[in-house]
Amino acid sequence: MTSSNSPSTSTEILDGALDTSVDRAIELLRADRLIGLPTETVYGLAGLASSKLAVRKVFVVKKRPLDHPLILHIASYEDLDNWAQDIPEYARVICKRIWPGPLTIVLRRTNKVCDEITGGRETVAIRVPNHEVALRLLRKLDDGVVAPSANRFGKVSPTTAQHVVDDLGSDVSAVLDGGVCLIGIESTILDCTLSTPQLLRPGAISTEQIRDICGVAVEESSGESRASGMLEKHYAPNCRVELAETHVDAEVRLEILKADNRTAQILDFSGDLALFAANLYSSLRQADTQGIQVVVVVVPPAIGLGVAIRDRLAKASQATSL
Ligand code: TXA
Ligand code: MG
């Protein structure tokens, strides 16, 4: 079946609830084709990890610089030692507890991981996604898949199958439709190559949770950025994103913008962090569809998931700090 909303593309939309759809997705992956894959965080642009051609295609389709390595998605913790080595005990404890889940860990790679995935680095980023459709696919595939978020580089990540088609069109052969992503923002990334874990990107798993699980404090990464999500401008919609600390501040900004003949809108989830994360990207996309020029977002408190939301908002707005 092709998407009714995008008659110009030949992208297959596959119903993730059906085993035949998962089989079709596997067939495409084994033919070095790319598919949209649902996860609990955002949709990924998936290619077979053992196919250098598929991995190269991911970079081309995403228009992603080669020095921004990809996340390898695997079926289970039991598969980890095939892809990574010199794994610290604290990292094992964390993965066993959190996977499948929204946590990516960076470890020293084995030679099963090709240079194309890591841009020649000796480390690889790995996670087990907590999405029933992705897990069914990975368990049947007997391989890993690389999957960056299924958007063009620097843009807002997709949280529905239709977003993937809207962004990538026929550059993606099929999208496995697994519904709306429940979490809505990308995984936490933790560098586990050192004696203590370093946070590379905040996500739904907080540093406090990680510390409580493994008994080791998480350090904030400093110095040169090692994850592309840490670039100053990223996750950016077409509209301008402005940040407000309170709803009243947002209303004042809205008044000023409207007096200046700008189309503007307030986004405020009143401190409901899970709802905020789940709806942030789709709300920004909707603003773009409606031709809104400025979205004024009331920022959440910097606790738990709020830390990750503030990180994405800071980048979407190009604010230097929050
Ligand atoms: O939730 C997610 O993580 C989603 C879903 C699809 O799994 N994926 C995702 O991928 O957000 P992507 O490519 O948009 O972000 C991957 C991040 C990039 O910032 C990249 O630089 C970093 O992971 N990364 C990958 N390998 C790395 C490595 N060896 N060392 C440091 N950072 C790495
Ligand atoms: Mg991304």
Side-chain angles (χ1 to χ4, degrees), residues 39 41-44 62 64 68-71 73 104 106 121 123-125 127 147-149 186-187 189 200-201 226-229:
T39 82
T41 58
V42 300
Y43 273 74
K62 244 196 101 90
R64 181 174 175 126
H68 289 273
L70 305 176
I71 296 178
H73 295 64
T104 297
V106 174
R121 292 167 195 232
T123 57
V124 60
R127 86 179 190 100
S149 50
E186 305 79 358
S187 61
I189 304 182
L200 298 183
R201 181 175 72 186
R226 280 172 295 176
S228 69

mmCIF file of all heavy atoms in Angstrom, residues 39 41-44 62 64 68-71 73 104 106 121 123-125 127 147-149 186-187 189 200-201 226-229, ligand 1:
data_model
loop_
_atom_site.group_PDB
_atom_site.id
_atom_site.type_symbol
_atom_site.label_atom_id
_atom_site.label_comp_id
_atom_site.label_asym_id
_atom_site.label_seq_id
_atom_site.Cartn_x
_atom_site.Cartn_y
_atom_site.Cartn_z
ATOM 1 N N THR A 39 10.400 3.494 17.019
ATOM 2 C CA THR A 39 10.966 3.165 18.330
ATOM 3 C C THR A 39 10.153 3.939 19.360
ATOM 4 O O THR A 39 9.285 4.732 18.998
ATOM 5 C CB THR A 39 12.472 3.537 18.462
ATOM 6 O OG1 THR A 39 12.587 4.914 18.782
ATOM 7 C CG2 THR A 39 13.277 3.190 17.216
ATOM 8 N N THR A 41 11.240 6.282 21.160
ATOM 9 C CA THR A 41 11.706 7.674 21.227
ATOM 10 C C THR A 41 11.235 8.444 20.001
ATOM 11 O O THR A 41 10.368 9.309 20.096
ATOM 12 C CB THR A 41 13.232 7.729 21.344
ATOM 13 O OG1 THR A 41 13.822 7.046 20.220
ATOM 14 C CG2 THR A 41 13.717 7.109 22.649
ATOM 15 N N VAL A 42 11.827 8.141 18.846
ATOM 16 C CA VAL A 42 11.458 8.756 17.562
ATOM 17 C C VAL A 42 11.615 7.684 16.482
ATOM 18 O O VAL A 42 12.181 6.623 16.743
ATOM 19 C CB VAL A 42 12.375 9.975 17.233
ATOM 20 C CG1 VAL A 42 12.254 11.049 18.304
ATOM 21 C CG2 VAL A 42 13.827 9.576 17.037
ATOM 22 N N TYR A 43 11.106 7.939 15.279
ATOM 23 C CA TYR A 43 11.303 6.979 14.182
ATOM 24 C C TYR A 43 12.751 7.037 13.697
ATOM 25 O O TYR A 43 13.351 8.117 13.610
ATOM 26 C CB TYR A 43 10.362 7.288 13.012
ATOM 27 C CG TYR A 43 9.007 6.635 13.145
ATOM 28 C CD1 TYR A 43 8.075 7.136 14.052
ATOM 29 C CD2 TYR A 43 8.669 5.509 12.395
ATOM 30 C CE1 TYR A 43 6.828 6.522 14.206
ATOM 31 C CE2 TYR A 43 7.426 4.896 12.535
ATOM 32 C CZ TYR A 43 6.515 5.403 13.440
ATOM 33 O OH TYR A 43 5.287 4.787 13.587
ATOM 34 N N GLY A 44 13.308 5.870 13.389
ATOM 35 C CA GLY A 44 14.668 5.800 12.872
ATOM 36 C C GLY A 44 14.680 5.519 11.378
ATOM 37 O O GLY A 44 13.712 4.969 10.831
ATOM 38 N N LYS A 62 20.174 11.145 4.729
ATOM 39 C CA LYS A 62 20.023 12.098 5.845
ATOM 40 C C LYS A 62 20.760 13.406 5.582
ATOM 41 O O LYS A 62 20.579 14.368 6.301
ATOM 42 C CB LYS A 62 20.576 11.453 7.127
ATOM 43 C CG LYS A 62 19.506 11.240 8.173
ATOM 44 C CD LYS A 62 20.050 10.970 9.529
ATOM 45 C CE LYS A 62 20.023 12.182 10.418
ATOM 46 N NZ LYS A 62 18.854 12.409 11.207
ATOM 47 N N ARG A 64 23.858 13.761 6.081
ATOM 48 C CA ARG A 64 24.559 13.846 7.362
ATOM 49 C C ARG A 64 26.061 13.795 7.153
ATOM 50 O O ARG A 64 26.547 12.970 6.374
ATOM 51 C CB ARG A 64 24.123 12.658 8.202
ATOM 52 C CG ARG A 64 24.720 12.561 9.588
ATOM 53 C CD ARG A 64 24.025 11.406 10.277
ATOM 54 N NE ARG A 64 24.565 11.117 11.563
ATOM 55 C CZ ARG A 64 23.822 11.057 12.661
ATOM 56 N NH1 ARG A 64 22.543 11.293 12.609
ATOM 57 N NH2 ARG A 64 24.364 10.729 13.799
ATOM 58 N N HIS A 68 29.580 12.151 11.879
ATOM 59 C CA HIS A 68 28.533 12.019 12.894
ATOM 60 C C HIS A 68 28.045 10.578 12.883
ATOM 61 O O HIS A 68 27.159 10.221 12.109
ATOM 62 C CB HIS A 68 27.378 12.981 12.613
ATOM 63 C CG HIS A 68 27.747 14.405 12.872
ATOM 64 N ND1 HIS A 68 27.633 14.987 14.106
ATOM 65 C CD2 HIS A 68 28.275 15.344 12.070
ATOM 66 C CE1 HIS A 68 28.062 16.226 14.055
ATOM 67 N NE2 HIS A 68 28.451 16.473 12.832
ATOM 68 N N PRO A 69 28.648 9.738 13.726
ATOM 69 C CA PRO A 69 28.374 8.298 13.646
ATOM 70 C C PRO A 69 26.946 7.921 14.007
ATOM 71 O O PRO A 69 26.198 8.726 14.565
ATOM 72 C CB PRO A 69 29.364 7.711 14.656
ATOM 73 C CG PRO A 69 29.751 8.823 15.553
ATOM 74 C CD PRO A 69 29.607 10.081 14.781
ATOM 75 N N LEU A 70 26.588 6.679 13.655
ATOM 76 C CA LEU A 70 25.196 6.210 13.793
ATOM 77 C C LEU A 70 25.020 5.341 15.032
ATOM 78 O O LEU A 70 25.988 4.744 15.522
ATOM 79 C CB LEU A 70 24.824 5.384 12.553
ATOM 80 C CG LEU A 70 25.013 6.081 11.207
ATOM 81 C CD1 LEU A 70 24.690 5.108 10.075
ATOM 82 C CD2 LEU A 70 24.141 7.323 11.115
ATOM 83 N N ILE A 71 23.782 5.261 15.497
ATOM 84 C CA ILE A 71 23.461 4.356 16.613
ATOM 85 C C ILE A 71 23.108 2.980 16.048
ATOM 86 O O ILE A 71 22.323 2.866 15.106
ATOM 87 C CB ILE A 71 22.290 4.903 17.460
ATOM 88 C CG1 ILE A 71 22.691 6.231 18.128
ATOM 89 C CG2 ILE A 71 21.859 3.880 18.507
ATOM 90 C CD1 ILE A 71 21.571 6.883 18.947
ATOM 91 N N HIS A 73 21.258 -0.481 16.600
ATOM 92 C CA HIS A 73 20.133 -1.009 17.375
ATOM 93 C C HIS A 73 20.204 -2.532 17.358
ATOM 94 O O HIS A 73 20.311 -3.136 16.275
ATOM 95 C CB HIS A 73 18.802 -0.534 16.783
ATOM 96 C CG HIS A 73 18.603 0.954 16.870
ATOM 97 N ND1 HIS A 73 19.406 1.848 16.213
ATOM 98 C CD2 HIS A 73 17.698 1.700 17.556
ATOM 99 C CE1 HIS A 73 19.007 3.089 16.485
ATOM 100 N NE2 HIS A 73 17.973 3.026 17.293
ATOM 101 N N THR A 104 21.184 4.991 25.071
ATOM 102 C CA THR A 104 22.231 4.562 24.145
ATOM 103 C C THR A 104 23.554 4.630 24.887
ATOM 104 O O THR A 104 23.827 5.618 25.576
ATOM 105 C CB THR A 104 22.278 5.524 22.937
ATOM 106 O OG1 THR A 104 21.024 5.440 22.247
ATOM 107 C CG2 THR A 104 23.408 5.183 21.983
ATOM 108 N N VAL A 106 27.844 4.280 24.601
ATOM 109 C CA VAL A 106 29.006 4.285 23.710
ATOM 110 C C VAL A 106 30.087 3.423 24.358
ATOM 111 O O VAL A 106 30.443 3.615 25.522
ATOM 112 C CB VAL A 106 29.514 5.732 23.474
ATOM 113 C CG1 VAL A 106 30.800 5.730 22.661
ATOM 114 C CG2 VAL A 106 28.432 6.565 22.781
ATOM 115 N N ARG A 121 35.796 5.654 14.011
ATOM 116 C CA ARG A 121 36.121 5.692 15.438
ATOM 117 C C ARG A 121 36.220 4.282 16.008
ATOM 118 O O ARG A 121 35.593 3.348 15.498
ATOM 119 C CB ARG A 121 34.999 6.378 16.238
ATOM 120 C CG ARG A 121 34.869 7.818 15.978
ATOM 121 C CD ARG A 121 33.554 8.284 16.568
ATOM 122 N NE ARG A 121 33.235 9.587 16.026
ATOM 123 C CZ ARG A 121 32.927 10.644 16.756
ATOM 124 N NH1 ARG A 121 32.864 10.551 18.053
ATOM 125 N NH2 ARG A 121 32.674 11.787 16.191
ATOM 126 N N THR A 123 34.941 3.545 18.797
ATOM 127 C CA THR A 123 33.782 3.360 19.684
ATOM 128 C C THR A 123 32.503 3.249 18.858
ATOM 129 O O THR A 123 32.444 3.711 17.719
ATOM 130 C CB THR A 123 33.642 4.549 20.645
ATOM 131 O OG1 THR A 123 33.522 5.749 19.876
ATOM 132 C CG2 THR A 123 34.829 4.644 21.586
ATOM 133 N N VAL A 124 31.503 2.621 19.463
ATOM 134 C CA VAL A 124 30.200 2.504 18.787
ATOM 135 C C VAL A 124 29.081 2.810 19.789
ATOM 136 O O VAL A 124 29.185 2.470 20.966
ATOM 137 C CB VAL A 124 30.013 1.095 18.166
ATOM 138 C CG1 VAL A 124 30.081 -0.010 19.217
ATOM 139 C CG2 VAL A 124 28.706 1.000 17.384
ATOM 140 N N ALA A 125 28.021 3.476 19.308
ATOM 141 C CA ALA A 125 26.853 3.778 20.137
ATOM 142 C C ALA A 125 25.806 2.693 19.902
ATOM 143 O O ALA A 125 25.497 2.363 18.756
ATOM 144 C CB ALA A 125 26.288 5.148 19.747
ATOM 145 N N ARG A 127 21.986 0.697 21.257
ATOM 146 C CA ARG A 127 20.827 0.617 22.159
ATOM 147 C C ARG A 127 19.863 -0.487 21.734
ATOM 148 O O ARG A 127 19.875 -0.926 20.578
ATOM 149 C CB ARG A 127 20.126 1.965 22.298
ATOM 150 C CG ARG A 127 19.076 2.323 21.268
ATOM 151 C CD ARG A 127 18.505 3.695 21.618
ATOM 152 N NE ARG A 127 17.326 4.029 20.817
ATOM 153 C CZ ARG A 127 16.069 3.905 21.250
ATOM 154 N NH1 ARG A 127 15.812 3.415 22.450
ATOM 155 N NH2 ARG A 127 15.052 4.263 20.478
ATOM 156 N N ALA A 147 20.364 3.205 12.873
ATOM 157 C CA ALA A 147 19.180 4.049 12.692
ATOM 158 C C ALA A 147 19.365 5.404 13.364
ATOM 159 O O ALA A 147 19.211 5.518 14.571
ATOM 160 C CB ALA A 147 17.929 3.361 13.229
ATOM 161 N N PRO A 148 19.705 6.416 12.573
ATOM 162 C CA PRO A 148 19.599 7.778 13.090
ATOM 163 C C PRO A 148 18.137 8.177 13.010
ATOM 164 O O PRO A 148 17.333 7.470 12.405
ATOM 165 C CB PRO A 148 20.429 8.597 12.093
ATOM 166 C CG PRO A 148 20.259 7.872 10.806
ATOM 167 C CD PRO A 148 20.110 6.402 11.156
ATOM 168 N N SER A 149 17.763 9.288 13.615
ATOM 169 C CA SER A 149 16.385 9.744 13.488
ATOM 170 C C SER A 149 16.082 9.975 12.005
ATOM 171 O O SER A 149 16.941 10.437 11.251
ATOM 172 C CB SER A 149 16.169 11.020 14.299
ATOM 173 O OG SER A 149 17.172 11.965 14.004
ATOM 174 N N GLU A 186 14.665 11.968 21.567
ATOM 175 C CA GLU A 186 15.705 10.967 21.361
ATOM 176 C C GLU A 186 16.281 10.437 22.679
ATOM 177 O O GLU A 186 16.227 11.101 23.710
ATOM 178 C CB GLU A 186 16.841 11.556 20.511
ATOM 179 C CG GLU A 186 16.409 12.139 19.181
ATOM 180 C CD GLU A 186 15.804 13.528 19.290
ATOM 181 O OE1 GLU A 186 15.678 14.052 20.426
ATOM 182 O OE2 GLU A 186 15.447 14.096 18.245
ATOM 183 N N SER A 187 16.908 9.257 22.571
ATOM 184 C CA SER A 187 17.444 8.565 23.748
ATOM 185 C C SER A 187 18.545 9.358 24.457
ATOM 186 O O SER A 187 19.242 10.177 23.848
ATOM 187 C CB SER A 187 18.013 7.207 23.320
ATOM 188 O OG SER A 187 19.066 7.379 22.397
ATOM 189 N N ILE A 189 22.192 9.588 25.717
ATOM 190 C CA ILE A 189 23.443 8.941 25.265
ATOM 191 C C ILE A 189 24.494 9.075 26.364
ATOM 192 O O ILE A 189 24.767 10.168 26.868
ATOM 193 C CB ILE A 189 23.994 9.554 23.963
ATOM 194 C CG1 ILE A 189 22.949 9.516 22.848
ATOM 195 C CG2 ILE A 189 25.248 8.792 23.514
ATOM 196 C CD1 ILE A 189 23.440 10.053 21.505
ATOM 197 N N LEU A 200 26.439 12.360 27.118
ATOM 198 C CA LEU A 200 26.650 13.045 25.836
ATOM 199 C C LEU A 200 25.379 13.732 25.348
ATOM 200 O O LEU A 200 25.451 14.724 24.626
ATOM 201 C CB LEU A 200 27.119 12.057 24.762
ATOM 202 C CG LEU A 200 28.452 11.357 25.011
ATOM 203 C CD1 LEU A 200 28.811 10.467 23.824
ATOM 204 C CD2 LEU A 200 29.568 12.361 25.260
ATOM 205 N N ARG A 201 24.217 13.157 25.694
ATOM 206 C CA ARG A 201 22.944 13.780 25.291
ATOM 207 C C ARG A 201 21.894 13.407 26.336
ATOM 208 O O ARG A 201 21.698 12.224 26.614
ATOM 209 C CB ARG A 201 22.513 13.258 23.911
ATOM 210 C CG ARG A 201 21.202 13.871 23.401
ATOM 211 C CD ARG A 201 20.867 13.425 21.976
ATOM 212 N NE ARG A 201 20.437 12.043 21.907
ATOM 213 C CZ ARG A 201 20.203 11.392 20.763
ATOM 214 N NH1 ARG A 201 20.378 11.992 19.593
ATOM 215 N NH2 ARG A 201 19.808 10.133 20.777
ATOM 216 N N ARG A 226 30.979 15.449 21.311
ATOM 217 C CA ARG A 226 31.188 14.167 20.648
ATOM 218 C C ARG A 226 29.903 13.591 20.080
ATOM 219 O O ARG A 226 29.875 12.538 19.498
ATOM 220 C CB ARG A 226 31.826 13.173 21.629
ATOM 221 C CG ARG A 226 33.305 13.391 21.764
ATOM 222 C CD ARG A 226 33.858 12.538 22.867
ATOM 223 N NE ARG A 226 33.311 12.950 24.153
ATOM 224 C CZ ARG A 226 33.558 12.324 25.295
ATOM 225 N NH1 ARG A 226 34.311 11.252 25.297
ATOM 226 N NH2 ARG A 226 33.054 12.759 26.416
ATOM 227 N N ALA A 227 28.792 14.246 20.302
ATOM 228 C CA ALA A 227 27.521 13.797 19.728
ATOM 229 C C ALA A 227 26.926 14.944 18.923
ATOM 230 O O ALA A 227 26.890 16.074 19.385
ATOM 231 C CB ALA A 227 26.568 13.366 20.838
ATOM 232 N N SER A 228 26.433 14.609 17.717
ATOM 233 C CA SER A 228 25.967 15.682 16.828
ATOM 234 C C SER A 228 24.790 16.433 17.421
ATOM 235 O O SER A 228 24.604 17.602 17.159
ATOM 236 C CB SER A 228 25.591 15.127 15.461
ATOM 237 O OG SER A 228 24.437 14.338 15.569
ATOM 238 N N GLY A 229 24.017 15.756 18.247
ATOM 239 C CA GLY A 229 22.893 16.418 18.905
ATOM 240 C C GLY A 229 23.366 17.525 19.812
ATOM 241 O O GLY A 229 22.570 18.304 20.334
HETATM 242 O O1 TXA B 1 16.384 7.811 20.276
HETATM 243 C C1 TXA B 1 17.333 7.728 19.501
HETATM 244 O O2 TXA B 1 18.518 7.661 19.892
HETATM 245 C C2 TXA B 1 17.018 7.727 18.004
HETATM 246 C C3 TXA B 1 16.265 6.431 17.676
HETATM 247 C C4 TXA B 1 15.978 6.283 16.196
HETATM 248 O O3 TXA B 1 16.964 5.337 18.165
HETATM 249 N N1 TXA B 1 18.205 7.850 17.230
HETATM 250 C C5 TXA B 1 18.922 8.998 17.159
HETATM 251 O O4 TXA B 1 19.982 8.935 16.302
HETATM 252 O O5 TXA B 1 18.648 9.989 17.792
HETATM 253 P P1 TXA B 1 20.782 10.194 15.768
HETATM 254 O O6 TXA B 1 21.674 9.681 14.692
HETATM 255 O O7 TXA B 1 19.850 11.260 15.381
HETATM 256 O O8 TXA B 1 21.681 10.586 16.970
HETATM 257 C C6 TXA B 1 22.756 9.753 17.301
HETATM 258 C C7 TXA B 1 23.743 10.474 18.140
HETATM 259 C C8 TXA B 1 24.498 11.497 17.344
HETATM 260 O O9 TXA B 1 24.543 12.697 18.105
HETATM 261 C C9 TXA B 1 25.885 10.875 17.190
HETATM 262 O O10 TXA B 1 26.902 11.814 17.061
HETATM 263 C C10 TXA B 1 25.977 10.071 18.487
HETATM 264 O O11 TXA B 1 24.714 9.530 18.618
HETATM 265 N N2 TXA B 1 26.958 8.984 18.368
HETATM 266 C C11 TXA B 1 26.876 7.891 17.590
HETATM 267 N N3 TXA B 1 27.987 7.125 17.718
HETATM 268 C C12 TXA B 1 28.774 7.757 18.597
HETATM 269 C C13 TXA B 1 30.069 7.481 19.150
HETATM 270 N N4 TXA B 1 30.761 6.414 18.802
HETATM 271 N N5 TXA B 1 30.579 8.352 20.045
HETATM 272 C C14 TXA B 1 29.866 9.455 20.405
HETATM 273 N N6 TXA B 1 28.643 9.777 19.921
HETATM 274 C C15 TXA B 1 28.108 8.944 19.023
#
